[in-house]
Amino acid sequence: GLQITVQGICPPGSKVLLNGAPAAVEGDRFQAQTTLSQPETTLTAQAAGAADAVRVLWDRGSFPRYRFSTDDNIWFLRDIARNAARYRSIFENSYLAFWREMNRKYGTKVHHNIYYETSGFNLSQMPDKFRAEWQANASWMRLSFHARSNDPARPYLHASPETVRSDYRLVTREIERFAGRNVLTPVTTLHWGAATREACRALR
């Protein structure tokens, strides 16, 4: 099983039982070791005639893993577009070259949440010259919608569902065109991480 430490607060000097076994008490805190042997376990602490329970889940197939997500991206795309005649690869852009190095060294998977436009550039200007390369790296690098642009701040805090839906489609339509549909990811972070419930439903 998996041995864990359970801690909590109790009336000072109480006798505390965790799933019937005595716990160590110091002041108004208790602590006990217990072993999880099932995917789901209910832990119950009892003290001074009161009880509290919590459900603990154990993923026995768990393994260390992580994913990187980056926000506010568009300048690397502008750079690739402006240098499309000269660049032979998207990884001639130093930002993407860094992420490729992280993937090669550590197996890092990353997805970039991107804007539709910035000063002097929008995604409709992004060439599809590198589409095959985007496809070839789709197993570890994805693109997703972030917002129409960097400004204004908190663009979806009071936005209508129609606004977020329209901005989402602007970005994803262009990603599909220049990189391919399988580069898209269903996961994103909206700019400033705030929106109305209706806008979130529209995005979903």
Side-chain angles (χ1 to χ4, degrees):
L2 176 68
Q3 189 174 68
I4 64 169
T5 300
V6 181
Q7 299 175 321
I9 332 173
C10 60
S14 297
K15 179 182 177 183
V16 178
L17 299 177
L18 179 70
N19 283 11
V25 176
E26 188 172 325
D28 64 350
R29 301 195 171 269
F30 72 89
Q31 179 173 306
Q33 300 287 318
T34 191
T35 301
L36 305 178
S37 58
Q38 301 298 320
E40 184 175 321
T41 303
T42 299
L43 301 177
T44 304
Q46 296 173 293
D52 195 10
V54 63
R55 185 169 59 115
V56 179
L57 304 179
W58 174 31
D59 177 4
R60 298 182 68 163
S62 180
F63 58 93
R65 58 200 181 272
Y66 66 93
R67 178 185 60 84
F68 260 101
S69 172
T70 68
D71 287 349
D72 301 348
N73 290 287
I74 194 166
W75 288 354
F76 78 88
L77 295 165
R78 182 178 65 184
D79 173 69
I80 292 168
R82 289 179 174 176
N83 292 283
R86 185 169 61 87
Y87 283 177
R88 291 165 297 173
S89 165
I90 58 175
F91 298 108
E92 290 188 56
N93 171 269
S94 59
Y95 183 69
L96 290 191
F98 166 78
W99 287 111
R100 182 174 65 173
E101 182 183 358
M102 294 301 100
N103 173 258
R104 287 177 171 175
K105 282 186 176 180
Y106 310 111
T108 301
K109 296 186 177 185
V110 61
H111 90 238
H112 304 297
N113 297 314
I114 65 175
Y115 295 136
Y116 175 73
E117 61 190 357
T118 190
S119 178
F121 175 76
N122 68 55
L123 294 184
S124 71
Q125 298 167 265
M126 185 68 187
D128 61 4
K129 170 184 176 181
F130 304 105
R131 184 183 173 95
E133 193 171 27
W134 287 108
Q135 296 280 301
N137 291 279
S139 63
W140 66 270
M141 183 170 63
R142 300 293 183 94
L143 301 176
S144 188
F145 165 73
H146 191 48
R148 185 181 183 111
S149 60
N150 189 63
D151 298 313
R154 299 175 181 84
Y156 304 115
L157 187 58
H158 303 293
S160 69
E162 292 74 25
T163 297
V164 72
R165 188 181 293 117
S166 173
D167 290 356
Y168 171 84
R169 287 176 173 160
L170 270 175
V171 172
T172 55
R173 183 171 57 238
E174 295 301 334
I175 292 172
E176 287 187 29
R177 177 189 61 78
F178 73 77
R181 175 170 288 213
N182 65 330
V183 174
L184 284 168
T185 171
V187 180
T188 190
T189 306
L190 284 176
H191 193 27
W192 289 86
T196 64
R197 178 180 297 187
E198 292 73 20
C200 288
R201 285 175 173 162
L203 183 62
R204 182 175 184 270

Short mmCIF file of all heavy atoms in Angstrom, two decimals, residues 74 114-118 145-151 155-156 163 166-168 170-171 191:
data_model
loop_
_atom_site.label_atom_id
_atom_site.label_comp_id
_atom_site.label_asym_id
_atom_site.label_seq_id
_atom_site.Cartn_x
_atom_site.Cartn_y
_atom_site.Cartn_z
N ILE A 74 2.41 35.27 -29.58
CA ILE A 74 2.18 35.59 -30.98
C ILE A 74 3.47 36.09 -31.64
O ILE A 74 3.66 35.94 -32.83
CB ILE A 74 1.03 36.62 -31.20
CG1 ILE A 74 0.64 36.62 -32.69
CG2 ILE A 74 1.41 38.00 -30.67
CD1 ILE A 74 -0.66 37.30 -33.00
N ILE A 114 -2.28 31.08 -27.91
CA ILE A 114 -1.87 32.18 -28.78
C ILE A 114 -2.98 33.20 -29.04
O ILE A 114 -4.16 32.92 -28.93
CB ILE A 114 -1.32 31.65 -30.12
CG1 ILE A 114 -2.42 30.94 -30.93
CG2 ILE A 114 -0.15 30.69 -29.89
CD1 ILE A 114 -1.96 30.49 -32.31
N TYR A 115 -2.52 34.41 -29.39
CA TYR A 115 -3.40 35.50 -29.79
C TYR A 115 -3.66 35.43 -31.29
O TYR A 115 -2.87 34.84 -32.04
CB TYR A 115 -2.75 36.85 -29.51
CG TYR A 115 -2.50 37.19 -28.06
CD1 TYR A 115 -1.28 37.75 -27.68
CD2 TYR A 115 -3.47 36.99 -27.09
CE1 TYR A 115 -1.03 38.10 -26.37
CE2 TYR A 115 -3.22 37.35 -25.77
CZ TYR A 115 -2.01 37.89 -25.42
OH TYR A 115 -1.76 38.24 -24.12
N TYR A 116 -4.70 36.12 -31.71
CA TYR A 116 -4.96 36.27 -33.14
C TYR A 116 -4.11 37.38 -33.74
O TYR A 116 -3.63 37.27 -34.86
CB TYR A 116 -6.44 36.56 -33.41
CG TYR A 116 -6.72 36.83 -34.87
CD1 TYR A 116 -6.70 35.79 -35.80
CD2 TYR A 116 -6.98 38.13 -35.32
CE1 TYR A 116 -6.92 36.04 -37.14
CE2 TYR A 116 -7.20 38.38 -36.65
CZ TYR A 116 -7.17 37.34 -37.57
OH TYR A 116 -7.39 37.58 -38.91
N GLU A 117 -3.91 38.46 -32.97
CA GLU A 117 -3.21 39.60 -33.57
C GLU A 117 -2.37 40.36 -32.56
O GLU A 117 -2.58 40.29 -31.36
CB GLU A 117 -4.22 40.56 -34.22
CG GLU A 117 -5.23 41.14 -33.26
CD GLU A 117 -6.36 41.87 -33.95
OE1 GLU A 117 -6.33 41.99 -35.18
OE2 GLU A 117 -7.28 42.34 -33.25
N THR A 118 -1.38 41.06 -33.10
CA THR A 118 -0.54 41.99 -32.36
C THR A 118 -0.18 43.11 -33.31
O THR A 118 -0.57 43.10 -34.48
CB THR A 118 0.72 41.29 -31.80
OG1 THR A 118 1.38 42.18 -30.90
CG2 THR A 118 1.67 40.87 -32.90
N PHE A 145 -6.14 28.45 -28.48
CA PHE A 145 -6.67 29.81 -28.36
C PHE A 145 -6.38 30.42 -26.99
O PHE A 145 -6.52 29.75 -25.97
CB PHE A 145 -8.19 29.74 -28.59
CG PHE A 145 -8.94 30.98 -28.16
CD1 PHE A 145 -8.84 32.14 -28.91
CD2 PHE A 145 -9.73 30.96 -27.03
CE1 PHE A 145 -9.53 33.28 -28.52
CE2 PHE A 145 -10.43 32.10 -26.64
CZ PHE A 145 -10.33 33.25 -27.39
N HIS A 146 -6.00 31.70 -27.01
CA HIS A 146 -5.79 32.43 -25.75
C HIS A 146 -6.70 33.66 -25.70
O HIS A 146 -7.42 33.86 -24.73
CB HIS A 146 -4.34 32.84 -25.63
CG HIS A 146 -3.96 33.36 -24.27
ND1 HIS A 146 -4.31 32.71 -23.11
CD2 HIS A 146 -3.25 34.46 -23.89
CE1 HIS A 146 -3.84 33.40 -22.07
NE2 HIS A 146 -3.21 34.45 -22.51
N ALA A 147 -6.66 34.49 -26.74
CA ALA A 147 -7.50 35.69 -26.83
C ALA A 147 -7.31 36.29 -28.22
O ALA A 147 -6.43 35.87 -28.97
CB ALA A 147 -7.13 36.72 -25.77
N ARG A 148 -8.10 37.29 -28.51
CA ARG A 148 -7.91 37.97 -29.79
C ARG A 148 -6.59 38.73 -29.80
O ARG A 148 -5.86 38.72 -30.78
CB ARG A 148 -9.07 38.93 -30.06
CG ARG A 148 -8.99 39.57 -31.44
CD ARG A 148 -10.11 40.53 -31.73
NE ARG A 148 -9.97 41.03 -33.09
CZ ARG A 148 -10.80 40.73 -34.08
NH1 ARG A 148 -11.82 39.92 -33.86
NH2 ARG A 148 -10.60 41.23 -35.29
N SER A 149 -6.28 39.40 -28.67
CA SER A 149 -5.02 40.16 -28.59
C SER A 149 -4.67 40.38 -27.13
O SER A 149 -5.46 40.05 -26.23
CB SER A 149 -5.16 41.50 -29.31
OG SER A 149 -6.19 42.28 -28.73
N ASN A 150 -3.51 40.95 -26.88
CA ASN A 150 -3.06 41.19 -25.51
C ASN A 150 -3.91 42.23 -24.79
O ASN A 150 -4.14 42.13 -23.59
CB ASN A 150 -1.59 41.63 -25.52
CG ASN A 150 -1.02 41.67 -24.11
OD1 ASN A 150 -0.93 40.66 -23.44
ND2 ASN A 150 -0.65 42.86 -23.67
N ASP A 151 -4.31 43.25 -25.50
CA ASP A 151 -5.14 44.31 -24.92
C ASP A 151 -6.53 44.29 -25.54
O ASP A 151 -6.68 43.98 -26.72
CB ASP A 151 -4.47 45.68 -25.15
CG ASP A 151 -3.11 45.76 -24.47
OD1 ASP A 151 -3.03 45.37 -23.29
OD2 ASP A 151 -2.14 46.17 -25.13
N PRO A 155 -10.21 40.54 -21.19
CA PRO A 155 -11.14 40.77 -22.30
C PRO A 155 -12.44 40.00 -22.21
O PRO A 155 -13.43 40.39 -22.83
CB PRO A 155 -10.33 40.32 -23.53
CG PRO A 155 -9.37 39.32 -22.99
CD PRO A 155 -9.00 39.83 -21.63
N TYR A 156 -12.47 38.89 -21.44
CA TYR A 156 -13.68 38.07 -21.41
C TYR A 156 -14.41 38.13 -20.07
O TYR A 156 -15.35 37.38 -19.84
CB TYR A 156 -13.33 36.63 -21.78
CG TYR A 156 -12.64 36.57 -23.12
CD1 TYR A 156 -11.32 36.14 -23.23
CD2 TYR A 156 -13.29 37.00 -24.27
CE1 TYR A 156 -10.68 36.12 -24.47
CE2 TYR A 156 -12.65 36.99 -25.50
CZ TYR A 156 -11.34 36.55 -25.60
OH TYR A 156 -10.72 36.56 -26.82
N THR A 163 -18.86 36.88 -28.46
CA THR A 163 -17.52 37.45 -28.58
C THR A 163 -16.45 36.38 -28.40
O THR A 163 -15.53 36.27 -29.21
CB THR A 163 -17.31 38.56 -27.54
OG1 THR A 163 -18.23 39.62 -27.80
CG2 THR A 163 -15.89 39.11 -27.60
N SER A 166 -16.51 33.95 -31.34
CA SER A 166 -15.94 34.55 -32.55
C SER A 166 -14.42 34.61 -32.48
O SER A 166 -13.72 34.27 -33.45
CB SER A 166 -16.51 35.96 -32.74
OG SER A 166 -15.87 36.62 -33.79
N ASP A 167 -13.87 35.03 -31.33
CA ASP A 167 -12.41 35.11 -31.18
C ASP A 167 -11.78 33.73 -31.24
O ASP A 167 -10.72 33.54 -31.85
CB ASP A 167 -12.05 35.81 -29.86
CG ASP A 167 -12.37 37.29 -29.87
OD1 ASP A 167 -12.80 37.81 -30.93
OD2 ASP A 167 -12.20 37.94 -28.81
N TYR A 168 -12.42 32.77 -30.61
CA TYR A 168 -11.93 31.40 -30.64
C TYR A 168 -11.83 30.89 -32.08
O TYR A 168 -10.83 30.29 -32.49
CB TYR A 168 -12.85 30.49 -29.81
CG TYR A 168 -12.55 29.02 -29.96
CD1 TYR A 168 -11.56 28.42 -29.19
CD2 TYR A 168 -13.26 28.24 -30.87
CE1 TYR A 168 -11.27 27.07 -29.33
CE2 TYR A 168 -12.98 26.89 -31.01
CZ TYR A 168 -11.99 26.31 -30.24
OH TYR A 168 -11.71 24.98 -30.39
N LEU A 170 -11.63 32.65 -34.83
CA LEU A 170 -10.59 33.37 -35.56
C LEU A 170 -9.24 32.66 -35.41
O LEU A 170 -8.51 32.44 -36.38
CB LEU A 170 -10.45 34.80 -35.04
CG LEU A 170 -11.29 35.90 -35.67
CD1 LEU A 170 -11.08 37.21 -34.92
CD2 LEU A 170 -10.96 36.08 -37.14
N VAL A 171 -8.90 32.32 -34.16
CA VAL A 171 -7.60 31.71 -33.87
C VAL A 171 -7.54 30.28 -34.39
O VAL A 171 -6.60 29.90 -35.09
CB VAL A 171 -7.31 31.75 -32.36
CG1 VAL A 171 -6.06 30.95 -32.02
CG2 VAL A 171 -7.14 33.20 -31.89
N HIS A 191 -7.13 34.39 -21.66
CA HIS A 191 -6.33 35.54 -21.24
C HIS A 191 -6.90 36.09 -19.92
O HIS A 191 -8.08 36.36 -19.82
CB HIS A 191 -6.40 36.60 -22.34
CG HIS A 191 -5.40 37.70 -22.22
ND1 HIS A 191 -4.19 37.55 -21.59
CD2 HIS A 191 -5.43 38.98 -22.69
CE1 HIS A 191 -3.51 38.69 -21.66
NE2 HIS A 191 -4.25 39.57 -22.32
#
